[in-house]
Amino acid sequence: MSVRFEIYDDKIKVTDLISVQAVDRSYFGKEVNGKKIHLELSPEEALYLIDVRKAECEKDGKPQSFNQVAGQFQGPKFLARYYCFRDWRDRGLIVRPINEAKGNYNRSPMEKYPAAETKTPHVKAKGLFFYDDLMSVIDENEEGNALYENHWFGQFGTYKAKKHGQFLKLDAYETVFLARHGKYKLNVLTKKIEEQAVSRRPDFMELYDVYEDWRLRGFVPKTGFKFGTHFRLYFPGAKPTQETGQWMHSRHVVHVFPRSAKMLISEWARAIRVAHGVKKTFILAIPGAKNAHHYDEHNGKSETKNNKAIILSSPRLASGSGQLDFLLYHRKGADIENPRHDSPTFVMLALSEEEEIGGEELASAIQQSKQMGLDLMLAICDRETAVTYYRVKRIDLPKSKYEYYEIEWVQP
Amino acid sequence: MSVRFEIYDDKIKVTDLISVQAVDRSYFGKEVNGKKIHLELSPEEALYLIDVRKAECEKDGKPQSFNQVAGQFQGPKFLARYYCFRDWRDRGLIVRPINEAKGNYNRSPMEKYPAAETKTPHVKAKGLFFYDDLMSVIDENEEGNALYENHWFGQFGTYKAKKHGQFLKLDAYETVFLARHGKYKLNVLTKKIEEQAVSRRPDFMELYDVYEDWRLRGFVPKTGFKFGTHFRLYFPGAKPTQETGQWMHSRHVVHVFPRSAKMLISEWARAIRVAHGVKKTFILAIPGAKNAHHYDEHNGKSETKNNKAIILSSPRLASGSGQLDFLLYHRKGADIENPRHDSPTFVMLALSEEEEIGGEELASAIQQSKQMGLDLMLAICDRETAVTYYRVKRIDLPKSKYEYYEIEWVQP
């Protein structure tokens, strides 16, 4: 016999004993007035039971179809939420409403990155800046070669063949960095270079800020063009050629998502896809001031208080894709986590392929997840209702000014 | 002894006999007044000889460095042009100035695509449109299943598991198409759906036009989300499940680049990278009216006249990345093509990673290449001066309204 429920007072209620037991056993529904005599279903739960378990729903004694139920409860990103909910359940895993979250679960450790003391060399040669190319050239080879060999600034000679051709070519990030930190003199003022770069790509200064931040911690960011991203990243100590004569491969790429930027989810996901295809770790950089709360953590203060009040009062939570959607229970060994005995592992933000997301919104969703002590799981429902997951892990880069996250395409 | 040349009257001239012979033997330089007593070099040729062959350049009796020469001749995308030129030469291949082009070389055949007669089914069930999700649902399963099984509209049940769950989910392109061509009735007017979709993504109607164009020729475009593109494409006759029970794999993806759109080269290349990574053919769609010239060809008229006059008088050629840069000679067997005996194979448009390109500009460059009877080769110089090549092949899709091109990442 299939599960039955009905709609009244704009609520979806399960009242007959057999249905209540079946629904409760599967971790659907919530108690009414603290008792399990009746259960109330969320719209996602009701649709799931209709869709997958052929449950029967009635209103005023009349059977209700999927569209009739969905039509009554339709709200922002309704189908995206539903199909993301369904997909998690279809994996045999439990998903529960976000408002059941209790305090900080402390299940979101940070990935620690190394950082090195660095000193920027002083550039003794003068460079020529090419306006339209956003690059500068140092044609004094001794100086150019030293900057390349010892610090991996620019490209000497030819990519992967430094002895073919000559001269040091520096891109706009390297040029501005050396002008600011290495007394690099050019035919034009640094300010003019920045203005020209910003006129070409309005997000130039945000990209530069990220470049500078990693460079100052000893990392070597180079163009990520071949990997469809803003930078590829080498860890401290990297050199353009190793002693073994082997070319050094980067293992990380960095994509900069300014707070003010807006991007279609499909375009955002594309960048992650390329990184995945070339087996590199995708790092999302969100430049610009972190909020005070976040700074606290960098000063070593922990926050273990119940942050639920903060989450619920956040103005960004009122609507839109900044709102977190579900608590996700995952696996534990051969078993699965369940809400009666376990804590959730992730918090889900459900998105759809053709919606836009802003840098600020995403930063806010990550911040909220952090306050819950859970890793954020971005679930993206495509136009065929197939769901793709991206797990967000926080990065701890000592002394850094900005927020960085590893984004990993996962199959939960 | 190294090659020597000098700058006077803003020209770069090779005058001593040994240098003239060395330069000419390598297919550099052009005759002055129809004689090879003296040769004139383009800035790219001069810089190449300085950079790679350690040539000596003088002006007013003083030796000139790379930056001194470059500084004098600097123009739009100067370094991008130079490094693309150099890269082609570094491959042992010949590159010559674009103004040496002679008429139509007839070396740009079209890729023929099949097209099938199609009839759009009439939808007998009513759908519910979800505004925020840009999707509609048909919850009458007999009708929904028929649309899915017989015509591959939408997704019935679950992606790759149509028997799990129920109901037909249609994306906005499918919804509008069936409303326009299949009498599909919904809870809202088609016009409202289109308005909502355009408010979400301003290029919606351009994407729809491309969807409709392929659908009407018997192809099945579905979401390309997993491949970082707008659509993946199945050829006429494709069904969601094959008789063998095997899932059918698409081999093509379609990216829509509206004429009015502008995009950073790096973002544009990213989309092609993903397609390459999953081994699919990348099709670039340029919707909107083709010019009259192009229509001619579709009516079967060939153009073999010398179109050089048209090319040179095009207003778009005045500046910017719409201007073609070089004639490219390629390989023939174990040998290479040379300008004395052979025709060029490609025409190069040199671009840099951080420049913007518009749909109109790209369409114009392709059009100019077509008039020369050569395939366009996009050469992209990244921030490390490494060059990546994308070959553009024209597609012949019978009865289609728009222009389509296969873009292939190649290593020449």
Side-chain angles (χ1 to χ4, degrees), chain B residues 330-375:
Chain B
H330 200 224
R331 302 179 200 282
K332 47 173 188 181
D335 208 354
I336 61 163
E337 295 173 342
N338 82 65
R340 302 214 223 291
H341 305 106
D342 306 301
S343 299
T345 297
F346 305 111
V347 59
M348 182 200 278
L349 178 61
L351 300 160
S352 67
E353 175 182 347
E354 286 196 321
E355 86 185 78
E356 270 195 330
I357 191 162
E360 192 63 56
E361 263 177 304
L362 184 60
S364 159
I366 295 172
Q367 181 64 15
Q368 292 162 40
S369 313
K370 199 191 81 170
Q371 290 168 358
M372 299 168 80
L374 297 175
D375 272 3

Side-chain angles (χ1 to χ4, degrees), chain A residues 77 86 132 158 228 270 354, chain B residues 77 86 132 158 228 270:
Chain A
K77 57 176 186 166
R86 190 181 97 163
D132 200 56
T158 305
R270 182 187 297 154
E354 288 196 320
Chain B
K77 56 177 188 168
R86 190 183 97 163
D132 201 56
T158 304
R270 181 186 298 155

Side-chain angles (χ1 to χ4, degrees), chain A residues 373-390:
Chain A
L374 297 175
D375 272 5
L376 180 63
M377 186 73 91
L378 299 168
I380 303 174
C381 177
D382 75 14
R383 304 197 317 252
E384 268 167 322
T385 65
V387 178
T388 308
Y389 296 93
Y390 296 97

Side-chain angles (χ1 to χ4, degrees), chain A residues 249-309:
Chain A
H249 288 284
S250 62
R251 294 195 297 118
H252 298 74
V253 294
V254 179
H255 184 90
V256 181
F257 195 12
R259 283 168 200 272
S260 60
K262 285 202 169 284
M263 207 173 185
L264 278 175
I265 288 293
S266 52
E267 288 166 9
W268 192 82
R270 182 187 297 154
I272 303 172
R273 289 274 162 180
V274 191
H276 183 86
V278 291
K279 297 190 173 58
K280 299 200 188 289
T281 301
F282 181 93
I283 297 175
L284 183 77
I286 304 189
K290 296 192 244 195
N291 64 37
H293 210 76
H294 203 104
Y295 271 120
D296 276 352
E297 189 184 60
H298 273 259
N299 294 332
K301 291 179 203 153
S302 68
E303 321 143 45
T304 46
K305 276 180 298 180
N306 185 331
N307 287 305
K308 209 166 152 190

Side-chain angles (χ1 to χ4, degrees), chain B residues 8 48 61 93 110 136 192 206 219 253 261 293 307 387 401:
Chain B
Y8 60 81
Y48 185 87
L93 302 169
M110 293 179 93
S136 68
K192 286 278 174 204
E206 280 89 354
F219 290 77
V253 295
H293 210 78
N307 287 304
V387 179
K401 290 187 289 180

